[in-house]
Amino acid sequence: MIFTIGDTHGLSNLLNVLTYHFRRCANKRKCIMVHPTNKSVIHNRSIVYRTKPVLLSGTNTLGNSTFIHVGDVGIGFHRWYEDMWFITTIDRLLKAMKCRIKLIRGNHDNPLFWNYTYNVEGHLSWTALQVHLVKDYTVLKIEGNHVLFIGGAVSIDRHERTEGVDWWKDEVVEQRSDEDLARLATKKIDVVITHSAPSYAYPIDSYKNDYYPQLERDTASERTYLQKVYDVLNSVHPIKHWCYGHFHKAKTEYIWPTKFQCCDIEAITELR
């Protein structure tokens, strides 16, 4: 199974979302349970339990599932070792559940984390084998689908943020040439995962800001570019799913032949 996860804006929130998901499935299927220990840590203004996954008797029906996070994971807003602790804790949880997660960068993520040294399998070199920070324009085959990942977006509140602390100037979508997109289309993409969305998808209304006209132009340019990506890819091979976050609302619509899915904050949705 493939599940998408909406913006979490913090690794502690992501850990809580996954833990709750596994607990809920355990109650329904009587096969998995996640027991917190009596130790906890304060992070991002919330209490997060140090989880200790425990498999109960029976078949793990959630095994071999893949979670895809559509960006705004919340990586880079705290001390490096704090983020590393949460990533390795999430990694241990997923390993016990026999699952894995793919993360793209949103506009509220430090792109530096997506530029670390990777091993030959595409994972971070520091042993987080179930957590995969996917670089832009990577194509992975997941359950028979060719999945394209493109991270990044424009922060509409960037003028209120501090560069290098809670905003990064290279947050935006990397726009590639028509030749690069044509080569990408030959891979016959089935599913596209982005943080922002094409201009034809929800929300249709363009962003307006009379005080910061450049911001308005940047957001429009970004979505127009993603629309071009869709048109080029779809002209070669029909795209079945396009999943994205950023807009903090659950919305599903069909623009033939594609199902566009805007993921709500912290929502887990099966991709089907």
Side-chain angles (χ1 to χ4, degrees):
M1 292 184 288
I2 302 176
F3 297 92
T4 59
I5 303 179
D7 306 27
T8 51
H9 301 114
L11 286 166
S12 60
N13 295 333
L14 175 57
L15 178 57
N16 283 336
V17 166
L18 289 170
T19 301
Y20 174 76
H21 177 75
F22 289 131
R23 282 177 173 166
R24 184 179 60 179
C25 292
N27 293 334
K28 289 182 178 180
R29 307 184 187 191
K30 306 299 182 184
C31 62
I32 303 175
M33 184 60 71
V34 180
H35 294 291
T37 67
N38 58 0
K39 296 181 180 179
S40 62
V41 60
I42 305 296
H43 185 76
N44 198 24
R45 297 186 298 277
S46 61
I47 298 177
V48 179
Y49 294 101
R50 298 179 184 271
T51 54
K52 180 182 178 182
V54 178
L55 296 182
L56 303 182
S57 59
T59 304
N60 183 352
T61 56
L62 278 181
N64 207 33
S65 292
T66 300
F67 294 90
I68 299 177
H69 197 301
V70 297
D72 277 3
V73 187
I75 298 179
F77 286 81
H78 302 279
R79 295 180 179 88
W80 183 86
Y81 64 83
E82 291 180 340
D83 283 340
M84 292 301 100
W85 184 90
F86 275 99
I87 290 175
T88 53
T89 301
I90 291 169
D91 185 72
R92 290 196 299 270
L93 172 64
L94 291 170
K95 182 177 181 181
M97 299 297 111
K98 299 181 180 178
C99 297
R100 65 206 63 83
I101 191 168
K102 313 294 183 183
L103 310 174
I104 67 169
R105 64 181 182 89
N107 52 301
H108 297 318
D109 291 303
N110 185 348
L112 176 65
F113 281 76
W114 275 259
N115 295 326
Y116 276 104
T117 301
Y118 290 76
N119 62 24
V120 293
E121 296 179 345
H123 299 286
L124 287 170
S125 57
W126 34 258
T127 72
L129 298 180
Q130 311 306 119
V131 178
H132 183 182
L133 276 66
V134 186
K135 292 187 175 183
D136 296 342
Y137 295 94
T138 296
V139 178
L140 300 176
K141 191 170 184 180
I142 303 174
E143 296 193 10
N145 296 298
H146 289 93
V147 184
L148 169 65
F149 298 83
I150 305 175
V154 172
S155 294
I156 61 174
D157 60 348
R158 65 190 184 191
H159 55 280
E160 300 173 358
R161 294 174 176 268
T162 303
E163 183 175 350
V165 177
D166 56 2
W167 177 75
W168 295 269
K169 63 181 180 181
D170 49 350
E171 64 174 5
V172 298
V173 175
E174 177 191 349
Q175 299 191 17
R176 296 198 171 179
S177 67
D178 293 347
E179 292 76 12
D180 287 340
L181 295 181
R183 284 192 293 269
L184 194 62
T186 62
K187 298 184 180 182
K188 297 183 177 181
I189 306 301
D190 301 298
V191 179
V192 180
I193 307 295
T194 57
H195 188 58
S196 188
S199 55
Y200 294 171
Y202 171 85
I204 299 298
D205 297 336
S206 59
Y207 174 73
K208 300 295 183 182
N209 193 314
D210 295 333
Y211 293 100
Y212 299 95
Q214 185 60 48
L215 185 60
E216 185 177 326
R217 289 191 290 269
D218 290 346
T219 56
S221 172
E222 171 180 272
R223 298 197 62 189
T224 299
Y225 170 75
L226 289 176
Q227 185 61 50
K228 181 172 72 171
V229 172
Y230 173 78
D231 291 338
V232 171
L233 298 181
N234 195 59
S235 67
V236 175
H237 181 75
I239 297 175
K240 296 188 294 185
H241 298 274
W242 187 301
C243 301
Y244 58 100
H246 192 47
F247 300 104
H248 302 173
K249 186 173 181 179
K251 179 72 172 181
T252 300
E253 56 186 353
Y254 294 85
I255 304 176
W256 192 88
T258 307
K259 178 181 179 181
F260 286 87
Q261 178 181 315
C262 182
C263 302
D264 201 359
I265 294 177
E266 299 182 0
I268 294 183
T269 308
E270 185 175 358
L271 183 65
R272 57 182 176 182

